[in-house]
Amino acid sequence: LMGRSNNSLALNYRHNKVNLFANTSLNYNGNMQDMTINRKFIDAGTGDLISLFDQQTDVKAHRYTGTIKMGMDYFASKKTTWGIVLTGLYNPGENNSKGTTWIKNPAGEVQTRMESVSTIDTDWKNGGVNLNFRHTFDSTGKEISADVDYLGYKTTTDQLLSGYFFDKTGQPNAPDEIVKGDLPGVIDIYSAKIDYVHPLKKGMKLEAGAKSSFVETDNNALYALLINGSWVRDEDRSNHFRYKENINALYVNTSKQFNKKWSGQFGLRLENTNARGYQVTTSERFSRQYTQLFPTAYVAYKPSDKNQFSLSYGRRIQRPNYQDMNPFYFFLDKYTYQVGNPYLQPQFSHNIDLSHTFMGFLTTTINYTNTQDIINQILEQDDASNTTYVKMGNIARQQQIGISIAGGFPVTKWWTSTLYINGFYNEFKGPINGTEVELSAPGFLVNMQNIFKLKKGWGGEISGFFRSKAQEGVFTARSMSQMTVAISKQVMKGKGSVRLNIRDPFDWQFFRGSSKYGNVDVNIRNHWDNRTVYA
């Protein structure tokens, strides 16, 4: 059993034209998981089975999170407000894992057993400052606002991986392998934006704005091997990566209520991106400059009080997470690890939704999404070294079509139910790791919440979800479910309440999946301590 604790405090004081506020929290999260991975290594030329890898790993993790947010609003007048906000976070944690890998021949006979121990200590620190301004011109809603922000991240990560190798009789058959990593990282983000809202005649409104941001990251991965009692730099894994990014954007948006039945909203965003990456260790550089348009449109039609229809379209961009671009290695053992991808590029998608709402409580939506260069986890396998690693990549094209139904309704006077059902079909198609891959599968998700109002101030809740087998990128995920049960009681004559929650009491929520394409054939089972009792 692992403990969890969430604690917070909020303070606010206002006098005349000044409003002061402060929030702080201190949380602890401990968790365990056990992971099973089964892999097949196959000869790319003949298709013959070369070896089998069966791996069992137990992980224990501890993490503290402390946050603070404080600020001041100054009401210069009834129409003008100035503000400043300071934020900070400290997030130390430790991850310890122990694992055994059995390397077998095609007949399933153990040839080598590897015992591995891994420790990862991380410290996240970030601090930020925000300056903001807002001015309302008149009672019609015409206003202007602006923000200037700085956010800085600093992280240190220390890794130690030890691997010990034995033959089928339990005798050592290879030298021990000890690897350590010192992985400092820095991210600085500067941004400024301005927004303007201008109401027009006949129910029309115009919004416009501009934003510019500058990001700089510096990640230095220093790895060393313990050889004959001395640490020797590991040139194959060490990597120093610097990245700079500047994004400039302009947008305009207009909305209008045409009459009692029709309304619409139309927008256009122009984004200019300039990015440069430099791998200091290998002297590799890349530079990207591109300008893109992102239109959006929304039309609503309400023929009666019972029915409302809407149609929306939008082109969107999702940029890679800066940490996913970080070329650090995170080891599970010698043969299994995760690594960043400095060459990740943004994904672009077209999204269309058609919805119908009946009586304000039942909404049916049909959606279609087409995404190019989708960012997702991929598995790569090196047959020569028997290693498998995970990284984020731009894996070809995804199409998804789906239909969902959402509604909330009273079953009885004391029982209210909310139901969400989503059926979908995912397709991934294109080259992955040099292999043309086409993966597709249907799936569905059911989410339900039931609220019970009982006598004498008692109440209860039963909620949960079920997700069927589905295609998630290159992984085929098997079904998963979860349930939460809660009971509550009003106290202090209805002025307060106490509540007890039990999440996943039957231990249903864990991941099971597989990935099979090219030379990759992997089955994964990841079970974590999701079962939780909290008040």
Side-chain angles (χ1 to χ4, degrees), residues 378-380 394-395 430-437 517-519:
I378 59 175
L379 289 171
E380 294 195 1
N394 296 103
I395 59 169
I432 303 175
N433 303 343
T435 302
E436 192 68 25
V437 175
Y517 62 91
N519 66 335

Side-chain angles (χ1 to χ4, degrees), residues 427-528:
E427 179 187 72
F428 297 83
K429 188 175 182 179
I432 303 175
N433 303 343
T435 302
E436 192 68 25
V437 175
E438 184 170 350
L439 303 168
S440 61
F444 68 90
L445 171 70
V446 179
N447 197 323
M448 175 174 276
Q449 181 184 45
N450 298 281
I451 305 294
F452 306 98
K453 293 183 178 180
L454 308 176
K455 295 180 179 180
K456 297 182 180 181
W458 287 92
E461 177 183 336
I462 300 177
S463 60
F465 73 86
F466 174 81
R467 191 205 64 190
S468 73
K469 178 181 177 181
Q471 193 68 41
E472 299 179 358
V474 298
F475 289 93
T476 301
R478 295 177 62 183
S479 61
M480 179 190 296
S481 59
Q482 188 236 60
M483 184 174 73
T484 297
V485 180
I487 187 170
S488 62
K489 177 68 168 69
Q490 292 184 353
V491 297
M492 302 172 61
K493 297 181 179 180
K495 295 181 179 179
S497 65
V498 292
R499 179 182 173 99
L500 179 68
N501 303 269
I502 305 175
R503 184 176 65 188
D504 199 19
F506 302 110
D507 200 21
W508 289 339
Q509 187 177 4
F510 58 93
F511 177 83
R512 295 169 297 167
S514 60
S515 187
K516 295 178 175 62
Y517 62 91
N519 66 335
V520 173
D521 189 333
V522 177
N523 285 277
I524 299 174
R525 182 184 182 275
N526 190 10
H527 194 179
W528 58 93

Side-chain angles (χ1 to χ4, degrees), residues 181-281:
D182 177 18
L183 317 172
V186 177
I187 304 175
D188 291 301
I189 304 173
Y190 305 85
S191 66
K193 69 173 183 175
I194 185 168
D195 299 286
Y196 177 68
V197 180
H198 190 98
L200 301 172
K201 295 180 179 180
K202 297 181 180 181
M204 192 171 181
K205 183 170 68 174
L206 179 68
E207 299 174 73
K211 181 178 181 179
S212 186
S213 66
F214 298 85
V215 179
E216 185 170 358
T217 72
D218 191 334
N219 299 292
N220 194 8
L222 303 171
Y223 290 94
L225 296 169
L226 186 62
I227 300 176
N228 297 325
S230 300
W231 290 106
V232 179
R233 179 182 171 94
D234 186 345
E235 298 293 348
D236 291 334
R237 296 187 179 108
S238 297
N239 198 345
H240 188 183
F241 178 60
R242 294 174 179 171
Y243 179 75
K244 293 183 179 181
E245 180 183 80
N246 164 231
I247 302 172
N248 306 292
L250 297 171
Y251 82 90
V252 61
N253 188 77
T254 181
S255 59
K256 181 176 175 58
Q257 185 72 44
F258 297 100
N259 51 46
K260 293 182 179 181
K261 295 183 178 182
W262 289 93
S263 63
Q265 183 172 312
F266 307 93
L268 186 64
R269 181 180 180 89
L270 174 70
E271 285 195 6
N272 167 256
T273 301
N274 304 277
R276 290 181 296 164
Y278 176 37
Q279 297 202 65
V280 180
T281 307

Side-chain angles (χ1 to χ4, degrees), residues 22-227:
N23 304 307
T24 184
S25 67
L26 179 61
N27 305 321
Y28 168 76
N29 183 25
N31 63 77
M32 299 183 296
Q33 60 177 310
D34 62 85
M35 183 184 300
T36 302
I37 303 176
N38 305 110
R39 288 174 283 182
K40 295 180 180 179
F41 286 84
I42 300 172
D43 187 284
T46 64
D48 294 335
L49 181 63
I50 301 174
S51 60
L52 299 168
F53 273 55
D54 293 336
Q55 179 180 358
Q56 174 67 45
T57 304
D58 295 316
V59 181
K60 291 185 179 181
H62 306 268
R63 182 163 295 279
Y64 291 89
T65 304
T67 66
I68 187 168
K69 178 181 180 180
M70 61 178 66
M72 179 183 73
D73 296 316
Y74 175 68
F75 304 97
S77 68
K78 292 183 178 180
K79 296 182 177 180
T80 304
T81 304
W82 296 85
I84 181 171
V85 181
L86 305 175
T87 58
L89 178 144
Y90 180 53
N91 188 213
E94 181 180 292
N95 188 303
N96 299 293
S97 65
K98 294 182 179 180
T100 302
T101 299
W102 295 270
I103 304 174
K104 305 176 182 179
N105 62 22
E109 300 168 334
V110 175
Q111 303 298 301
T112 297
R113 174 174 58 88
M114 182 188 71
E115 301 289 339
S116 63
V117 179
S118 173
T119 299
I120 302 176
D121 292 315
T122 59
D123 277 337
W124 272 92
K125 300 176 183 177
N126 72 50
V129 57
N130 164 263
L131 302 174
N132 58 81
F133 162 80
R134 181 180 178 182
H135 177 74
T136 302
F137 293 94
D138 52 40
S139 60
T140 65
K142 182 167 66 172
E143 69 174 41
I144 188 170
S145 60
D147 289 84
V148 177
D149 289 270
Y150 165 75
L151 187 60
Y153 294 86
K154 185 176 182 180
T155 177
T156 57
T157 303
D158 296 317
Q159 295 184 13
L160 182 64
L161 172 67
S162 303
Y164 310 96
F165 307 87
F166 307 91
D167 62 20
K168 59 185 178 182
T169 66
Q171 298 300 311
N173 65 352
D176 299 341
E177 184 170 295
I178 314 295
V179 183
K180 74 172 182 177
D182 177 18
L183 317 172
V186 177
I187 304 175
D188 291 301
I189 304 173
Y190 305 85
S191 66
K193 69 173 183 175
I194 185 168
D195 299 286
Y196 177 68
V197 180
H198 190 98
L200 301 172
K201 295 180 179 180
K202 297 181 180 181
M204 192 171 181
K205 183 170 68 174
L206 179 68
E207 299 174 73
K211 181 178 181 179
S212 186
S213 66
F214 298 85
V215 179
E216 185 170 358
T217 72
D218 191 334
N219 299 292
N220 194 8
L222 303 171
Y223 290 94
L225 296 169
L226 186 62
I227 300 176

